[in-house]
Amino acid sequence: MTFLRSAFTSPRRALTGKWLVSRAYATPSGQLRKTGLYDFHLENGAKMVPFAGYSMPLLYGDVGQVASHNHVRNSVGLFDVGHMVQSNFRGPTTTQFLEWITPSSLTSLKPYSSTLSVILNEAGGIIDDTVVTKHAADAFYVVTNAGRRDRDLAWFKDKLAEWNASERAKDGKVELEVLEDWGLVALQGPKAAAYLQALTSFDLKELTFGSSAFVPIEGFNLHVARGGYTGEDGFEISIPPQHTVEVTKMLSNSPVQLTGLAARDSLRLEAGMCLYGNDLDEITTPVEAGLTWVIGKERRETGNFIGAEGVRAHIKNGPPRRRVGFVIEDAPARQGAKIYDESGNEEVGIITSGIPSPTLGKNIAMGYVKNGQHKKGTPVQVHVRNQKRKAVVTPMPFVKTNYWRG
């Protein structure tokens, strides 16, 4: 769910420090924010870049993007995702409120289970993607994107005021607590569970993908959610500000390798995961984005959520465009590359993210094409480096996911 634009001109350019900042790295005027691990990153040789208003690690030391990527795929890496916005919603009508600002079925969600969801505007466009975790009927933990912080928090404030002033809150109001300066780290890779298990008496086999628990880790009681943004098994661990550095040091011993934004982008794209600002925005509905599955079945017809009319129109009539994956010949396509039909004469879409896949050794991408051009195996052409390159619509994820489902 954390997001990063594909901003590399090439792996070589990224590794030589000739970092080309894309729009995703443009920040408002003023000082960049720092996570609680900023000094820790510098001490470990991180190359820092502006990202979503924060100074964040791109790479560490002389470990390149491909090597870092492969280490996570084969072993275990640790990411700082403390720039993400962590929030608690509490109150007697919290479930109903969150089912109003998202289309997900939260009433039926079991305690300490989570779901990917979307926050929608009135037209059904995606304000942000989010992970919603139910702790109890009146308590939810919500993680949203750093780059959407101001937009999200203003939206929450406005909608909470509207909700709490209405008849819908007659059984009790809803309160929002933003966990400012809390740490959040992601331990990701096939060896993540074995590493973390050595630090806790909690049986991690009981913690399946999409579930969470408060887990004792070497004297700390921490919120641990099984999941992540790489397609591999792993955990996202929330840490109180005063303990963030100490816990992170504990989690970063061998074979764990500190991992930055460079590898995070290639890992998430291989896993077919959306990136807000690239693959999602406020003029895109969840149906167009291939995220209809986050909308509860019973809510597609009867759910009273913001943006329902626009979403239902796309479900009923089909969306005008669809998000799909591509494998592209000869050269990697980047965000903004135009997609044409097989003949190369008709423009049918646009690339939103693209990379050379370290795992597959192929050029992969995702983007939007006109409805009808989205079927598996459909040949298209993509305009890359002043030439139209052959490409084919390819199912995602590009690399098989390895989530722990018990």
Side-chain angles (χ1 to χ4, degrees):
M1 190 205 59
T2 327
F3 62 97
L4 168 67
R5 290 184 191 267
S6 300
F8 315 125
T9 54
S10 69
R12 177 180 297 176
R13 175 163 290 191
L15 300 184
T16 57
K18 295 177 182 178
W19 176 247
L20 185 62
V21 178
S22 77
R23 286 183 297 155
Y25 290 86
T27 57
S29 59
Q31 188 172 4
L32 291 172
R33 290 172 173 262
K34 299 175 182 178
T35 72
L37 294 173
Y38 177 81
D39 291 336
F40 173 83
H41 296 317
L42 295 181
E43 291 166 5
N44 283 277
K47 296 178 177 67
M48 307 297 286
V49 296
F51 176 70
Y54 281 77
S55 182
M56 296 294 292
L58 176 69
L59 299 162
Y60 291 87
D62 58 359
V63 180
Q65 183 257 341
V66 172
S68 186
H69 173 110
N70 290 337
H71 189 83
V72 175
R73 282 277 179 256
N74 297 300
S75 184
V76 54
L78 187 71
F79 301 83
D80 177 13
V81 288
H83 59 311
M84 303 290 284
V85 183
Q86 303 175 69
S87 301
N88 287 322
F89 287 85
R90 300 189 186 93
T93 57
T94 298
T95 300
Q96 295 92 326
F97 171 74
L98 291 176
E99 285 193 336
W100 178 52
I101 65 168
T102 79
S104 296
S105 296
L106 304 178
T107 302
S108 58
L109 198 64
K110 295 179 180 179
Y112 289 91
S113 293
S114 64
T115 181
L116 177 68
S117 191
V118 286
I119 302 161
L120 301 178
N121 61 29
E122 300 289 356
I126 300 171
I127 293 174
D128 202 359
D129 59 318
T130 178
V131 174
V132 179
T133 301
K134 185 177 188 175
H135 286 169
D138 60 352
F140 287 79
Y141 168 69
V142 176
V143 179
T144 50
N145 285 307
R148 300 296 285 168
R149 178 189 177 95
D150 292 344
R151 173 67 166 128
D152 290 344
L153 293 183
W155 184 259
F156 291 157
K157 181 180 178 181
D158 289 346
K159 296 306 170 186
L160 279 169
E162 184 179 343
W163 179 269
N164 287 332
S166 73
E167 181 67 17
R168 291 170 292 190
K170 64 181 179 181
D171 294 327
K173 295 183 178 181
V174 179
E175 297 179 350
L176 167 63
E177 175 193 18
V178 179
L179 300 178
E180 297 287 8
D181 300 322
W182 276 57
L184 189 65
V185 295
L187 190 70
Q188 299 282 294
K191 296 183 180 179
Y195 183 88
L196 189 60
Q197 188 64 78
L199 301 176
T200 181
S201 59
F202 185 97
D203 186 0
L204 293 176
K205 290 181 180 178
E206 297 179 4
L207 200 64
T208 55
F209 176 74
S211 63
S212 63
F214 283 94
V215 175
I217 301 176
E218 295 289 275
F220 299 97
N221 191 41
L222 303 173
H223 187 269
V224 177
R226 197 154 198 165
Y229 197 52
T230 63
E232 297 296 333
D233 185 24
F235 308 88
E236 293 195 343
I237 304 167
S238 180
I239 315 168
Q242 66 271 27
H243 302 309
T244 298
V245 174
E246 185 177 358
V247 171
T248 301
K249 288 180 177 179
M250 183 196 314
L251 294 172
S252 57
N253 295 313
S254 181
V256 177
Q257 190 175 88
L258 297 176
T259 314
L261 295 173
R264 191 166 178 81
D265 190 40
S266 53
L267 289 160
R268 72 92 193 168
L269 185 49
E270 287 186 347
M273 294 185 180
C274 292
L275 189 70
Y276 198 95
N278 273 38
D279 314 306
L280 304 174
D281 55 36
E282 290 210 39
I283 62 170
T284 301
T285 71
V287 184
E288 291 175 305
L291 297 175
T292 306
W293 62 270
V294 309
I295 307 170
K297 290 182 180 180
E298 75 282 3
R299 308 200 72 217
R300 297 177 193 182
E301 293 297 330
T302 61
N304 181 22
F305 58 88
I306 295 171
E309 184 177 352
V311 169
R312 289 195 184 110
H314 279 184
I315 291 175
K316 180 180 179 181
N317 304 319
R321 59 188 184 131
R322 295 179 185 267
R323 180 177 64 91
V324 293
F326 304 92
V327 171
I328 302 170
E329 294 183 9
D330 301 325
R334 304 302 183 182
Q335 182 190 25
K338 294 180 180 180
I339 305 167
Y340 295 83
D341 66 2
E342 184 179 11
S343 71
N345 295 322
E346 181 188 357
E347 185 177 336
V348 296
I350 194 166
I351 297 294
T352 54
S353 293
I355 56 163
S357 166
T359 304
L360 300 176
K362 300 176 181 179
N363 299 313
I364 62 173
M366 71 168 71
Y368 287 83
V369 293
K370 289 181 179 180
N371 203 354
Q373 293 281 336
H374 66 284
K375 296 179 181 179
K376 173 184 175 181
T378 300
V380 295
Q381 295 191 43
V382 180
H383 194 262
V384 184
R385 298 178 186 171
N386 298 317
Q387 292 185 38
K388 290 177 181 175
R389 317 276 180 168
K390 291 182 179 180
V392 62
V393 174
T394 305
M396 296 183 287
F398 298 100
V399 174
K400 183 180 178 293
T401 56
N402 294 304
Y403 304 129
W404 173 255
R405 300 188 185 276

